[in-house]
Amino acid sequence: MAGEFFVHVLLWLAVIKLLQLAIWPILDRTLGNLAAAAAYPASVLLFTFVSWYCCLLGLPIILALLPFVAVIVYAGARRFYTQERLRSGLSWDLLFLVPFLFMLEVRWINPTISYAEKFMDHAILASIMREPVVPPLDPWYAGGTLDVYYYIGYWMTGALGLTAGVPSTVTFNLALPTVLGLAVVSLYALGHLLLDRHQWLPVLALFIPNPSAIYHILIGDTWFDVLWMSTRTITNTINEYPIFSMLWGDVHPHVMSIFNQGFLLFLLVFAYMRWGTLSMRGRALLCGLAALSLGSMPGINSWDVLVYAPVTLVFGLLVWWRYGNLAWDRERSWMMLAAVPPLAILSYLPFYLQLNSPGIGGIAIVPTPSEPVEFLLIHGLFLAVLVAYCAPEIKQRPYLLLVAVPFVLAGYPAAAIAAVPLIYLLARREFSTADTLAILGLVIIILPELVYLVDNMGETYFRMNTVFKFYLPAWILLGTASSVIIGKWLENIETKQRMPARIDRVLPVLAAGILLIAPFAINVDFGYGSHTLDGAAYLESSHPGDAAAIAFLRELPGDHVIIEAEGGDYTYYSRVSSFTGIPTIIGMPFHEYMWRGDEGRIPERSADVQAIYEEPSRTLDLARAYNATLLYVGAEEHDRYNVSIPTETLELIYDAQGVQIYRIPA
C-alpha cells in the first residue's frame, strides 16, 4: 500500500513539473530569473483554465495536456532546456518540494475525510472526478449542478488527479501540499522583487500563528484548543490564518485560493517595479497572466475578488502614475488598468453566465464590532510592526492621532486602532510597494468593523463570513508588507554591522529541516486514523460495511443517482455521496440552503427521503421523481428511519456486512 501511495505522489509531481516546464520558456523573456518560479502557479492556473474549457466543449479532460506537451517539444527543439538553465531552476523546484513534503507529512499523519468541511470538499472533488462536466453535478442535490457555488478550485485539483491517475480519496490529500508549495514559490518570488536580502521573509506569512495562538500556548491550552480557539477569537466570527487552515486540512475554497493571491501580488508588484524595462510582448504577457489570476478568483473563492479587484485597480493606477504620469504614454503604462479587469471577466465568462447563486443580500452597518483586545489578538503583530515603522512620522505629526477619535466616538474602537498606522502611511505619500500593501491590508481589516455583507447565516453570525473571508487576504497583504519592512530593517542593521551574507543561505536550509521534522515533533493527529494518504481508509475499521459498499459503488459504471439517509450537516450522514461523488437527493441540507435559498425546497427533499424509506407505497414513485437509480440501506439508514421498503419490486445488487444496495427499476 505504501508503494502505491509513493507512485501516486510521483505521478502527481510529474504532472506538476511537466506543466511548469511547459510554461517556463513562455515566461523566460519577460520574467527573467523569476520565470521558473512564476511558471509553477501560472501553469496550474492555465491547465485548470484549459481543462475546464475542454469539458465545457464536451472534450475529454486529458486533451488539456496536449498544448503543454507541444510547448515542451517545441522548446526542447529550440534547446531551451539546457543543463545550465535546468540547474538554475532547481532552487525553485526545492522551494516547491519542501513545503509540499511538509504538508504531505501532515496529511499522512491526519489524512481522514471525516470532520469539518471535509465531507463537502471531497463530495465535490469526487463528483468532478467521477463525471467531469461543466457545470459539475451537485453530489448533494440530485438533478442540480454546482452552478450555485464557486467550484473551480475543486476542478483544478480534480483535473490534476484525473491526469495523474490518482483516485479522489488520495487526490484530496495531495491538494493542500500543492497549494502550500505554490504559495511558497509565489511569495518567495515576491521577496526577490522587494528585498535585496532575506527574500524568504514574505514566506513567513504562511507559517506564523496569530497572537491569539501564542496566548493560548502561554496559558497552557491543549494543542487542539490552541488551534481552534485562536481562530474563534473575535466573538461569533471565524478568523483563520494560513498555517491553521493548512493544519486543519479542509480542502476548501478559502484555502485553495491562497497560492493565487500570492501569485497575483507577485505579478502586480512586478509590473509596478519593472514595467519600464519590458517589451510590448512582455507587457501583454504580464497583463494576460494577471487577468488569468484575477479571473480565476471568483471561481476559486468568490470573496477574494472583492478584495483583489480593487487591489488590481490600485496597482494599475500606480503603474500608470509611475511610468506614464496618468497620460496616454508611449510606455502604454495604462494597459494594466485598462486591459486586466475586462480580460479577467472574459477569461471565465461562461462560468459567470452559468452562475446561479443567491449571492449576498446587501451591505449593512455592523451593530456590534470587535472588542479591541480580540482585534489585537488577531492583527496585533502586524499592527505593531506598522506602528513602529510609522514612529518617526508619529513624533513629527502627533496631531494625526486624532483620526482615531471619530471611530471611538462612533463606537468602533478596533477600527480606530487600525486607522492610526493607516493615516500615517497615507500621509507619507510614498506609496512604495510595502506602504501600498500595508494600506490595502489596513483598509480591509477596518471595513468589516464598519460594514458587513448580508447573507443567510442568521442574526448571531451575521458577519461571520465577512470577517472570515476578508481576514485571510488581509493577512497575506499585511504579512507581506510587515515582512518587507522587517527585511529593510535587517538590511540596514547588517550593513552597519557588516554581517556576512551567507546567513541567507543557512537560514532557508535550517528552516527546511525544521519544516520537514515539525509534523512529527508536533501532534497534528486529530484521532481519526493516520499513516496513509487515502482519506477513506479509516472506514475499513470504523465503518467496514460502508467501506466495502462504497468501494463497490466507486467502481460501478454508468450515471446514477443514489438515495441515502439525510442526517444534518457535519455528520457522517451523506457519506455515500461524499465518498463516491454519486448525487443523492439531499445531503447536508444547510449547505444546500446557503447555496439555493428557499427556492431549493430543501425541507421537502428531506421529507421525501424519509418517505422513501418509511412508506413503501410511495418509494418507487418518489425515487423516480428524482431519477434515482440506486437505494442504499445501511446502519445510518436504520438508525435514522423506520426502514420499510418494497424489496419485492427492487433489484438487490449488493448485500454484504449489513449493507444492501438496490437498483430501482426504470
Side-chain angles (χ1 to χ4, degrees), residues 5 51 112 124 142 155 157 189 218 232 257 283 343-344 355 377 382 399 407 448 450 455 510-511 540 590 602 619 646:
F5 294 142
S51 64
T112 59
I124 297 176
W155 186 278
T157 306
L218 293 176
R232 269 67 184 171
S257 70
R283 292 166 186 164
L343 286 175
L355 199 61
L377 283 171
F382 302 141
Y399 58 86
F407 291 101
L450 309 177
D455 55 23
L510 181 63
E540 294 178 6
F590 184 64
I602 309 304
T619 298

PDB file of all heavy atoms in Angstrom, residues 5 51 112 124 142 155 157 189 218 232 257 283 343-344 355 377 382 399 407 448 450 455 510-511 540 590 602 619 646:
ATOM      1  N   PHE A   5       1.012   4.463  -2.764  1.00  0.00           N
ATOM      2  CA  PHE A   5       0.934   5.899  -2.489  1.00  0.00           C
ATOM      3  C   PHE A   5       2.170   6.632  -3.005  1.00  0.00           C
ATOM      4  O   PHE A   5       2.078   7.762  -3.470  1.00  0.00           O
ATOM      5  CB  PHE A   5       0.763   6.143  -0.986  1.00  0.00           C
ATOM      6  CG  PHE A   5      -0.541   5.647  -0.430  1.00  0.00           C
ATOM      7  CD1 PHE A   5      -0.604   5.073   0.816  1.00  0.00           C
ATOM      8  CD2 PHE A   5      -1.714   5.753  -1.173  1.00  0.00           C
ATOM      9  CE1 PHE A   5      -1.812   4.609   1.329  1.00  0.00           C
ATOM     10  CE2 PHE A   5      -2.920   5.301  -0.677  1.00  0.00           C
ATOM     11  CZ  PHE A   5      -2.964   4.720   0.580  1.00  0.00           C
ATOM     12  N   SER A  51      -8.431  22.869 -19.166  1.00  0.00           N
ATOM     13  CA  SER A  51      -9.202  21.647 -18.912  1.00  0.00           C
ATOM     14  C   SER A  51     -10.677  21.968 -18.702  1.00  0.00           C
ATOM     15  O   SER A  51     -11.555  21.204 -19.134  1.00  0.00           O
ATOM     16  CB  SER A  51      -8.647  20.905 -17.696  1.00  0.00           C
ATOM     17  OG  SER A  51      -8.793  21.669 -16.506  1.00  0.00           O
ATOM     18  N   THR A 112      -7.761  11.816   7.184  1.00  0.00           N
ATOM     19  CA  THR A 112      -9.141  11.374   7.033  1.00  0.00           C
ATOM     20  C   THR A 112     -10.095  12.448   6.506  1.00  0.00           C
ATOM     21  O   THR A 112      -9.982  13.618   6.827  1.00  0.00           O
ATOM     22  CB  THR A 112      -9.697  10.865   8.373  1.00  0.00           C
ATOM     23  OG1 THR A 112      -9.611  11.923   9.336  1.00  0.00           O
ATOM     24  CG2 THR A 112      -8.935   9.677   8.867  1.00  0.00           C
ATOM     25  N   ILE A 124     -17.546  17.211  -3.613  1.00  0.00           N
ATOM     26  CA  ILE A 124     -17.442  17.986  -4.858  1.00  0.00           C
ATOM     27  C   ILE A 124     -16.284  17.475  -5.703  1.00  0.00           C
ATOM     28  O   ILE A 124     -16.408  17.310  -6.926  1.00  0.00           O
ATOM     29  CB  ILE A 124     -17.286  19.482  -4.541  1.00  0.00           C
ATOM     30  CG1 ILE A 124     -18.538  20.001  -3.821  1.00  0.00           C
ATOM     31  CG2 ILE A 124     -17.034  20.281  -5.817  1.00  0.00           C
ATOM     32  CD1 ILE A 124     -18.451  21.446  -3.382  1.00  0.00           C
ATOM     33  N   ALA A 142     -29.646  15.985  -6.129  1.00  0.00           N
ATOM     34  CA  ALA A 142     -29.858  15.259  -7.376  1.00  0.00           C
ATOM     35  C   ALA A 142     -30.643  16.094  -8.372  1.00  0.00           C
ATOM     36  O   ALA A 142     -31.654  16.710  -8.036  1.00  0.00           O
ATOM     37  CB  ALA A 142     -30.600  13.954  -7.093  1.00  0.00           C
ATOM     38  N   TRP A 155     -12.167  21.908  -9.249  1.00  0.00           N
ATOM     39  CA  TRP A 155     -11.889  21.486 -10.629  1.00  0.00           C
ATOM     40  C   TRP A 155     -10.385  21.383 -10.850  1.00  0.00           C
ATOM     41  O   TRP A 155      -9.904  20.422 -11.458  1.00  0.00           O
ATOM     42  CB  TRP A 155     -12.510  22.468 -11.614  1.00  0.00           C
ATOM     43  CG  TRP A 155     -12.361  21.992 -13.030  1.00  0.00           C
ATOM     44  CD1 TRP A 155     -11.266  22.127 -13.838  1.00  0.00           C
ATOM     45  CD2 TRP A 155     -13.320  21.239 -13.771  1.00  0.00           C
ATOM     46  NE1 TRP A 155     -11.484  21.519 -15.048  1.00  0.00           N
ATOM     47  CE2 TRP A 155     -12.740  20.964 -15.031  1.00  0.00           C
ATOM     48  CE3 TRP A 155     -14.611  20.790 -13.500  1.00  0.00           C
ATOM     49  CZ2 TRP A 155     -13.415  20.260 -16.017  1.00  0.00           C
ATOM     50  CZ3 TRP A 155     -15.280  20.083 -14.477  1.00  0.00           C
ATOM     51  CH2 TRP A 155     -14.689  19.820 -15.721  1.00  0.00           C
ATOM     52  N   THR A 157      -8.007  20.769  -8.714  1.00  0.00           N
ATOM     53  CA  THR A 157      -7.477  19.584  -8.044  1.00  0.00           C
ATOM     54  C   THR A 157      -7.926  18.314  -8.744  1.00  0.00           C
ATOM     55  O   THR A 157      -7.134  17.377  -8.945  1.00  0.00           O
ATOM     56  CB  THR A 157      -7.943  19.571  -6.577  1.00  0.00           C
ATOM     57  OG1 THR A 157      -7.585  20.811  -5.951  1.00  0.00           O
ATOM     58  CG2 THR A 157      -7.306  18.444  -5.817  1.00  0.00           C
ATOM     59  N   ALA A 189       9.221  34.408  -4.629  1.00  0.00           N
ATOM     60  CA  ALA A 189       9.492  35.215  -5.819  1.00  0.00           C
ATOM     61  C   ALA A 189       9.167  36.679  -5.552  1.00  0.00           C
ATOM     62  O   ALA A 189       9.895  37.583  -5.999  1.00  0.00           O
ATOM     63  CB  ALA A 189       8.671  34.692  -6.997  1.00  0.00           C
ATOM     64  N   LEU A 218       0.606  30.038  25.907  1.00  0.00           N
ATOM     65  CA  LEU A 218       1.139  30.514  27.189  1.00  0.00           C
ATOM     66  C   LEU A 218       0.254  30.147  28.368  1.00  0.00           C
ATOM     67  O   LEU A 218       0.754  29.924  29.478  1.00  0.00           O
ATOM     68  CB  LEU A 218       1.345  32.035  27.133  1.00  0.00           C
ATOM     69  CG  LEU A 218       2.439  32.523  26.175  1.00  0.00           C
ATOM     70  CD1 LEU A 218       2.481  34.047  26.133  1.00  0.00           C
ATOM     71  CD2 LEU A 218       3.802  31.968  26.588  1.00  0.00           C
ATOM     72  N   ARG A 232     -11.221  31.463  16.649  1.00  0.00           N
ATOM     73  CA  ARG A 232     -12.563  31.878  17.089  1.00  0.00           C
ATOM     74  C   ARG A 232     -12.427  32.983  18.135  1.00  0.00           C
ATOM     75  O   ARG A 232     -13.192  33.086  19.074  1.00  0.00           O
ATOM     76  CB  ARG A 232     -13.337  30.689  17.673  1.00  0.00           C
ATOM     77  CG  ARG A 232     -14.174  29.916  16.653  1.00  0.00           C
ATOM     78  CD  ARG A 232     -13.335  29.210  15.647  1.00  0.00           C
ATOM     79  NE  ARG A 232     -14.146  28.539  14.618  1.00  0.00           N
ATOM     80  CZ  ARG A 232     -13.616  28.005  13.526  1.00  0.00           C
ATOM     81  NH1 ARG A 232     -12.309  28.071  13.301  1.00  0.00           N
ATOM     82  NH2 ARG A 232     -14.392  27.423  12.636  1.00  0.00           N
ATOM     83  N   SER A 257      -7.336  29.056  -2.465  1.00  0.00           N
ATOM     84  CA  SER A 257      -7.087  30.336  -3.139  1.00  0.00           C
ATOM     85  C   SER A 257      -5.802  31.011  -2.694  1.00  0.00           C
ATOM     86  O   SER A 257      -5.373  31.986  -3.316  1.00  0.00           O
ATOM     87  CB  SER A 257      -8.262  31.282  -2.877  1.00  0.00           C
ATOM     88  OG  SER A 257      -8.278  31.702  -1.506  1.00  0.00           O
ATOM     89  N   ARG A 283       4.802  43.143 -21.718  1.00  0.00           N
ATOM     90  CA  ARG A 283       3.691  43.821 -21.040  1.00  0.00           C
ATOM     91  C   ARG A 283       2.374  43.117 -21.303  1.00  0.00           C
ATOM     92  O   ARG A 283       1.548  42.959 -20.403  1.00  0.00           O
ATOM     93  CB  ARG A 283       3.635  45.275 -21.501  1.00  0.00           C
ATOM     94  CG  ARG A 283       4.814  46.109 -21.034  1.00  0.00           C
ATOM     95  CD  ARG A 283       4.909  47.433 -21.761  1.00  0.00           C
ATOM     96  NE  ARG A 283       6.128  48.143 -21.386  1.00  0.00           N
ATOM     97  CZ  ARG A 283       6.636  49.164 -22.054  1.00  0.00           C
ATOM     98  NH1 ARG A 283       6.020  49.601 -23.152  1.00  0.00           N
ATOM     99  NH2 ARG A 283       7.731  49.744 -21.635  1.00  0.00           N
ATOM    100  N   LEU A 343     -10.246  41.618 -19.338  1.00  0.00           N
ATOM    101  CA  LEU A 343      -9.742  40.291 -19.706  1.00  0.00           C
ATOM    102  C   LEU A 343     -10.035  39.269 -18.608  1.00  0.00           C
ATOM    103  O   LEU A 343     -10.306  38.094 -18.891  1.00  0.00           O
ATOM    104  CB  LEU A 343      -8.242  40.346 -19.976  1.00  0.00           C
ATOM    105  CG  LEU A 343      -7.804  41.009 -21.290  1.00  0.00           C
ATOM    106  CD1 LEU A 343      -6.282  41.099 -21.349  1.00  0.00           C
ATOM    107  CD2 LEU A 343      -8.346  40.244 -22.493  1.00  0.00           C
ATOM    108  N   ALA A 344      -9.975  39.717 -17.359  1.00  0.00           N
ATOM    109  CA  ALA A 344     -10.283  38.819 -16.245  1.00  0.00           C
ATOM    110  C   ALA A 344     -11.723  38.341 -16.320  1.00  0.00           C
ATOM    111  O   ALA A 344     -12.026  37.163 -16.084  1.00  0.00           O
ATOM    112  CB  ALA A 344     -10.027  39.524 -14.918  1.00  0.00           C
ATOM    113  N   LEU A 355     -23.499  30.950 -13.483  1.00  0.00           N
ATOM    114  CA  LEU A 355     -23.629  31.072 -12.031  1.00  0.00           C
ATOM    115  C   LEU A 355     -25.063  31.406 -11.641  1.00  0.00           C
ATOM    116  O   LEU A 355     -25.681  32.329 -12.173  1.00  0.00           O
ATOM    117  CB  LEU A 355     -22.671  32.149 -11.510  1.00  0.00           C
ATOM    118  CG  LEU A 355     -22.343  32.104 -10.015  1.00  0.00           C
ATOM    119  CD1 LEU A 355     -21.675  30.787  -9.637  1.00  0.00           C
ATOM    120  CD2 LEU A 355     -21.438  33.285  -9.646  1.00  0.00           C
ATOM    121  N   LEU A 377      -5.495  40.552  19.218  1.00  0.00           N
ATOM    122  CA  LEU A 377      -5.066  39.163  19.261  1.00  0.00           C
ATOM    123  C   LEU A 377      -5.036  38.524  17.874  1.00  0.00           C
ATOM    124  O   LEU A 377      -4.440  37.464  17.677  1.00  0.00           O
ATOM    125  CB  LEU A 377      -5.978  38.356  20.190  1.00  0.00           C
ATOM    126  CG  LEU A 377      -5.728  38.541  21.691  1.00  0.00           C
ATOM    127  CD1 LEU A 377      -6.820  37.871  22.505  1.00  0.00           C
ATOM    128  CD2 LEU A 377      -4.360  38.005  22.096  1.00  0.00           C
ATOM    129  N   PHE A 382       1.156  42.460  13.182  1.00  0.00           N
ATOM    130  CA  PHE A 382       1.350  43.317  12.013  1.00  0.00           C
ATOM    131  C   PHE A 382       1.159  44.791  12.378  1.00  0.00           C
ATOM    132  O   PHE A 382       1.888  45.656  11.886  1.00  0.00           O
ATOM    133  CB  PHE A 382       0.379  42.920  10.904  1.00  0.00           C
ATOM    134  CG  PHE A 382       0.511  41.492  10.460  1.00  0.00           C
ATOM    135  CD1 PHE A 382      -0.604  40.735  10.146  1.00  0.00           C
ATOM    136  CD2 PHE A 382       1.762  40.882  10.363  1.00  0.00           C
ATOM    137  CE1 PHE A 382      -0.485  39.417   9.734  1.00  0.00           C
ATOM    138  CE2 PHE A 382       1.890  39.565   9.956  1.00  0.00           C
ATOM    139  CZ  PHE A 382       0.765  38.826   9.644  1.00  0.00           C
ATOM    140  N   TYR A 399      -0.553  65.168  15.826  1.00  0.00           N
ATOM    141  CA  TYR A 399      -1.957  65.572  15.686  1.00  0.00           C
ATOM    142  C   TYR A 399      -2.754  64.614  14.787  1.00  0.00           C
ATOM    143  O   TYR A 399      -3.983  64.560  14.868  1.00  0.00           O
ATOM    144  CB  TYR A 399      -2.041  66.998  15.138  1.00  0.00           C
ATOM    145  CG  TYR A 399      -1.350  67.202  13.805  1.00  0.00           C
ATOM    146  CD1 TYR A 399      -1.995  66.951  12.589  1.00  0.00           C
ATOM    147  CD2 TYR A 399      -0.032  67.666  13.765  1.00  0.00           C
ATOM    148  CE1 TYR A 399      -1.348  67.137  11.379  1.00  0.00           C
ATOM    149  CE2 TYR A 399       0.622  67.847  12.557  1.00  0.00           C
ATOM    150  CZ  TYR A 399      -0.044  67.577  11.366  1.00  0.00           C
ATOM    151  OH  TYR A 399       0.591  67.763  10.172  1.00  0.00           O
ATOM    152  N   PHE A 407     -13.790  57.343  15.174  1.00  0.00           N
ATOM    153  CA  PHE A 407     -14.113  55.921  15.267  1.00  0.00           C
ATOM    154  C   PHE A 407     -14.495  55.539  16.693  1.00  0.00           C
ATOM    155  O   PHE A 407     -15.445  54.789  16.919  1.00  0.00           O
ATOM    156  CB  PHE A 407     -12.924  55.070  14.797  1.00  0.00           C
ATOM    157  CG  PHE A 407     -12.640  55.159  13.328  1.00  0.00           C
ATOM    158  CD1 PHE A 407     -11.609  55.953  12.848  1.00  0.00           C
ATOM    159  CD2 PHE A 407     -13.409  54.443  12.415  1.00  0.00           C
ATOM    160  CE1 PHE A 407     -11.338  56.035  11.497  1.00  0.00           C
ATOM    161  CE2 PHE A 407     -13.149  54.516  11.053  1.00  0.00           C
ATOM    162  CZ  PHE A 407     -12.124  55.323  10.590  1.00  0.00           C
ATOM    163  N   PRO A 448     -14.626  45.425   7.768  1.00  0.00           N
ATOM    164  CA  PRO A 448     -15.557  44.537   8.482  1.00  0.00           C
ATOM    165  C   PRO A 448     -15.929  45.024   9.879  1.00  0.00           C
ATOM    166  O   PRO A 448     -16.838  44.467  10.498  1.00  0.00           O
ATOM    167  CB  PRO A 448     -14.789  43.207   8.559  1.00  0.00           C
ATOM    168  CG  PRO A 448     -13.780  43.277   7.472  1.00  0.00           C
ATOM    169  CD  PRO A 448     -13.394  44.715   7.395  1.00  0.00           C
ATOM    170  N   LEU A 450     -16.933  48.087  10.257  1.00  0.00           N
ATOM    171  CA  LEU A 450     -17.956  49.099   9.986  1.00  0.00           C
ATOM    172  C   LEU A 450     -19.154  48.529   9.248  1.00  0.00           C
ATOM    173  O   LEU A 450     -20.305  48.880   9.561  1.00  0.00           O
ATOM    174  CB  LEU A 450     -17.344  50.244   9.169  1.00  0.00           C
ATOM    175  CG  LEU A 450     -16.039  50.854   9.714  1.00  0.00           C
ATOM    176  CD1 LEU A 450     -15.527  51.921   8.763  1.00  0.00           C
ATOM    177  CD2 LEU A 450     -16.253  51.436  11.102  1.00  0.00           C
ATOM    178  N   ASP A 455     -25.788  37.855   4.449  1.00  0.00           N
ATOM    179  CA  ASP A 455     -26.023  36.526   3.891  1.00  0.00           C
ATOM    180  C   ASP A 455     -27.078  35.829   4.741  1.00  0.00           C
ATOM    181  O   ASP A 455     -27.800  36.487   5.501  1.00  0.00           O
ATOM    182  CB  ASP A 455     -24.722  35.718   3.809  1.00  0.00           C
ATOM    183  CG  ASP A 455     -24.000  35.630   5.154  1.00  0.00           C
ATOM    184  OD1 ASP A 455     -24.660  35.790   6.195  1.00  0.00           O
ATOM    185  OD2 ASP A 455     -22.776  35.399   5.166  1.00  0.00           O
ATOM    186  N   LEU A 510      18.099  25.665   7.155  1.00  0.00           N
ATOM    187  CA  LEU A 510      17.668  25.349   8.517  1.00  0.00           C
ATOM    188  C   LEU A 510      16.148  25.304   8.608  1.00  0.00           C
ATOM    189  O   LEU A 510      15.574  24.391   9.223  1.00  0.00           O
ATOM    190  CB  LEU A 510      18.235  26.390   9.485  1.00  0.00           C
ATOM    191  CG  LEU A 510      17.894  26.194  10.968  1.00  0.00           C
ATOM    192  CD1 LEU A 510      18.479  24.880  11.482  1.00  0.00           C
ATOM    193  CD2 LEU A 510      18.423  27.376  11.788  1.00  0.00           C
ATOM    194  N   ALA A 511      15.502  26.285   7.986  1.00  0.00           N
ATOM    195  CA  ALA A 511      14.037  26.330   8.005  1.00  0.00           C
ATOM    196  C   ALA A 511      13.440  25.105   7.324  1.00  0.00           C
ATOM    197  O   ALA A 511      12.440  24.544   7.789  1.00  0.00           O
ATOM    198  CB  ALA A 511      13.551  27.607   7.319  1.00  0.00           C
ATOM    199  N   GLU A 540     -12.547   1.393   6.877  1.00  0.00           N
ATOM    200  CA  GLU A 540     -12.390  -0.053   6.971  1.00  0.00           C
ATOM    201  C   GLU A 540     -12.425  -0.543   8.413  1.00  0.00           C
ATOM    202  O   GLU A 540     -12.847  -1.675   8.678  1.00  0.00           O
ATOM    203  CB  GLU A 540     -11.083  -0.474   6.297  1.00  0.00           C
ATOM    204  CG  GLU A 540     -11.082  -0.220   4.790  1.00  0.00           C
ATOM    205  CD  GLU A 540      -9.774  -0.593   4.140  1.00  0.00           C
ATOM    206  OE1 GLU A 540      -8.898  -1.160   4.859  1.00  0.00           O
ATOM    207  OE2 GLU A 540      -9.599  -0.333   2.935  1.00  0.00           O
ATOM    208  N   PHE A 590     -28.144  22.260   5.276  1.00  0.00           N
ATOM    209  CA  PHE A 590     -27.869  23.686   5.470  1.00  0.00           C
ATOM    210  C   PHE A 590     -26.917  24.213   4.412  1.00  0.00           C
ATOM    211  O   PHE A 590     -27.033  25.362   3.972  1.00  0.00           O
ATOM    212  CB  PHE A 590     -27.303  23.956   6.865  1.00  0.00           C
ATOM    213  CG  PHE A 590     -27.104  25.425   7.138  1.00  0.00           C
ATOM    214  CD1 PHE A 590     -28.187  26.288   7.189  1.00  0.00           C
ATOM    215  CD2 PHE A 590     -25.830  25.952   7.296  1.00  0.00           C
ATOM    216  CE1 PHE A 590     -28.003  27.648   7.418  1.00  0.00           C
ATOM    217  CE2 PHE A 590     -25.635  27.303   7.523  1.00  0.00           C
ATOM    218  CZ  PHE A 590     -26.731  28.160   7.590  1.00  0.00           C
ATOM    219  N   ILE A 602     -35.482  22.663   0.264  1.00  0.00           N
ATOM    220  CA  ILE A 602     -34.664  21.660   0.947  1.00  0.00           C
ATOM    221  C   ILE A 602     -35.492  20.806   1.915  1.00  0.00           C
ATOM    222  O   ILE A 602     -35.359  19.566   1.912  1.00  0.00           O
ATOM    223  CB  ILE A 602     -33.486  22.333   1.684  1.00  0.00           C
ATOM    224  CG1 ILE A 602     -32.713  23.268   0.728  1.00  0.00           C
ATOM    225  CG2 ILE A 602     -32.569  21.279   2.283  1.00  0.00           C
ATOM    226  CD1 ILE A 602     -32.200  22.609  -0.516  1.00  0.00           C
ATOM    227  N   THR A 619     -42.386   4.608  -2.258  1.00  0.00           N
ATOM    228  CA  THR A 619     -40.948   4.507  -2.507  1.00  0.00           C
ATOM    229  C   THR A 619     -40.598   4.681  -3.977  1.00  0.00           C
ATOM    230  O   THR A 619     -39.765   5.537  -4.342  1.00  0.00           O
ATOM    231  CB  THR A 619     -40.413   3.155  -2.008  1.00  0.00           C
ATOM    232  OG1 THR A 619     -40.618   3.067  -0.597  1.00  0.00           O
ATOM    233  CG2 THR A 619     -38.922   3.016  -2.306  1.00  0.00           C
ATOM    234  N   PRO A 646     -40.178  -1.590  -0.379  1.00  0.00           N
ATOM    235  CA  PRO A 646     -40.769  -2.700  -1.156  1.00  0.00           C
ATOM    236  C   PRO A 646     -39.688  -3.543  -1.823  1.00  0.00           C
ATOM    237  O   PRO A 646     -39.437  -3.435  -3.035  1.00  0.00           O
ATOM    238  CB  PRO A 646     -41.634  -1.967  -2.176  1.00  0.00           C
ATOM    239  CG  PRO A 646     -40.934  -0.666  -2.395  1.00  0.00           C
ATOM    240  CD  PRO A 646     -40.329  -0.294  -1.063  1.00  0.00           C
TER     241      PRO A 646
END
